[in-house]
Amino acid sequence: MPRFSIIIPCFQAEATLGRTLESLQAQSCPDWEALCIDDGSTDGTRALLEAAAARDPRLRVIRNIGKGPSAARNLGAFLAEGEILAFCDADDLWSSDKLAHLRTAFADPDCAGAFGRVAFFREEPADARSISTLPEGPLTIAMLLGENPVCTMSNIALRRPVFLASGGLDPAMVHNEDLDWLIRLVGEGASLRPLNAVLVWYRASPLGLSADLEAMARGRAQALASAARYGFSPDAGAEAVHLRYLARRALRVGRGDATALKLAVRGLRQAPRSFLLPAHRGCATLAAAVLAPVLPPVLRRTLFTR
């Protein structure tokens, strides 16, 4: 039985999936299986997966047509044989020592889950200029109501019984389903710990789901409803931090219109101090939002760290 089960939702991922699988096969800790859940791809994804599985028996290919990424993750968790579940999207990359870091973290039986830092890139990981920050302690709902430090499902690993007890992700949600799930996990007492190392390279795409800022805001409403069930609601400071995050996301994915500025103005109205501090994030975001329409796209995307 493998120590880790890696769950990869796959849909039309031919262009990026090969490098994702290579980053898994480069792990210094080889004690893993990968469940690749194909959602009915019509490009070369299925053929790529079958060829890779023929070369590496740790790869398992599973069909789950038309159900979406949340259903794929839930199915993978149900079928997994490993004690620890680690999620990875089909266009992201892992550092070669990610599983080694997780192995050390989960040696503590009180650790229910763990996450690290995320580097954001567009073409090559070496070009990443934006890296996520970490909280000082375990994840809390209050943290999640501002700027989610986990950032992406590719950055979370947890014990399989903890995932199953959570009920999994909501397949009906298209945006912020990970936020909603994390809120429920933490609300039920799971200790999700930060690891101070870059463990994931996240491929930022102006055409991806995470670029649909308006839909992300709608999905957040459902996540806030989950938080309210545990007695939490965002204060003005948390709303300002979240709006700053959306403004930075608008800049990162290359939105050159007034989107970032509108979000920044809303954040400033909520809580100016929370939006502007720390200055290298808040003030820089505001300046970039003002200048975005005239800045070259490459400069807009690379000026800031998370």
Side-chain angles (χ1 to χ4, degrees):
M1 178 180 296
R3 174 71 163 157
F4 295 96
S5 289
I6 305 166
I7 299 170
I8 312 173
C10 305
F11 180 69
Q12 306 295 77
E14 178 184 14
T16 59
L17 181 57
R19 294 190 67 182
T20 298
L21 296 179
E22 288 173 2
S23 78
L24 304 186
Q25 292 166 324
Q27 292 298 303
S28 60
C29 171
D31 190 10
W32 55 266
E33 65 169 354
L35 292 84
C36 306
I37 318 294
D38 180 26
D39 197 28
S41 301
T42 58
D43 63 356
T45 297
R46 177 76 177 185
L48 189 156
L49 287 173
E50 290 176 345
R55 296 189 299 269
D56 190 337
R58 294 175 297 179
L59 301 176
R60 297 164 58 187
V61 183
I62 300 162
R63 297 277 277 180
N64 195 47
I65 298 174
K67 303 293 178 58
S70 291
R73 294 180 180 114
N74 292 343
L75 177 63
F78 178 77
L79 297 175
E81 297 180 355
E83 177 192 352
I84 308 299
L85 305 179
F87 297 92
C88 185
D89 288 346
D91 56 352
D92 294 338
L93 307 174
W94 281 5
S95 68
S96 61
D97 58 354
K98 176 179 168 74
L99 291 183
H101 279 285
L102 293 176
R103 181 174 55 191
T104 299
F106 284 103
D108 181 350
D110 292 329
C111 177
F115 60 97
R117 303 181 72 192
V118 179
F120 295 81
F121 76 101
R122 289 181 63 83
E123 301 297 335
E124 294 295 332
D127 299 331
R129 296 293 183 270
S130 183
I131 300 176
S132 67
T133 58
L134 291 176
E136 294 184 358
L139 201 63
T140 67
I141 291 179
M143 294 173 188
L144 290 166
L145 296 183
E147 184 171 347
N148 176 6
V150 178
C151 303
T152 169
M153 285 295 294
S154 295
N155 190 31
I156 187 72
L158 74 166
R159 299 186 189 275
R160 183 169 178 266
V162 174
F163 181 91
L164 297 178
S166 75
L169 293 102
D170 184 347
M173 293 185 69
V174 178
H175 297 275
N176 277 307
E177 69 280 4
D178 55 338
L179 177 62
D180 175 72
W181 173 65
L182 287 169
I183 286 171
R184 290 187 279 113
L185 272 177
V186 173
E188 293 299 324
S191 175
L192 307 181
R193 301 181 181 179
L195 306 178
N196 190 18
V198 175
L199 301 183
V200 176
W201 275 264
Y202 177 93
R203 190 184 301 271
S205 169
L207 301 177
L209 287 175
S210 60
D212 191 343
L213 303 179
E214 294 78 11
M216 288 174 66
R218 292 193 297 270
R220 177 172 162 82
Q222 184 167 335
L224 294 183
S226 292
R229 291 196 291 272
Y230 296 100
F232 288 86
S233 60
D235 58 19
E239 280 295 298
V241 169
H242 176 66
L243 288 163
R244 183 181 69 197
Y245 160 75
L246 290 179
R248 295 171 70 81
R249 179 64 66 118
L251 293 165
R252 184 176 299 120
V253 300
R255 294 282 287 265
D257 56 16
T259 299
L261 181 58
K262 291 176 182 177
L263 291 165
V265 169
R266 286 172 56 193
L268 286 169
R269 288 175 176 169
Q270 286 283 342
R273 183 178 179 83
S274 296
F275 184 93
L276 292 171
L277 298 179
H280 76 276
R281 297 170 77 187
C283 294
T285 300
L286 178 60
V290 171
L291 296 173
V294 297
L295 284 177
V298 173
L299 185 58
R300 282 200 305 270
R301 292 192 297 264
T302 58
L303 274 176
F304 314 105
T305 58
R306 285 177 59 91

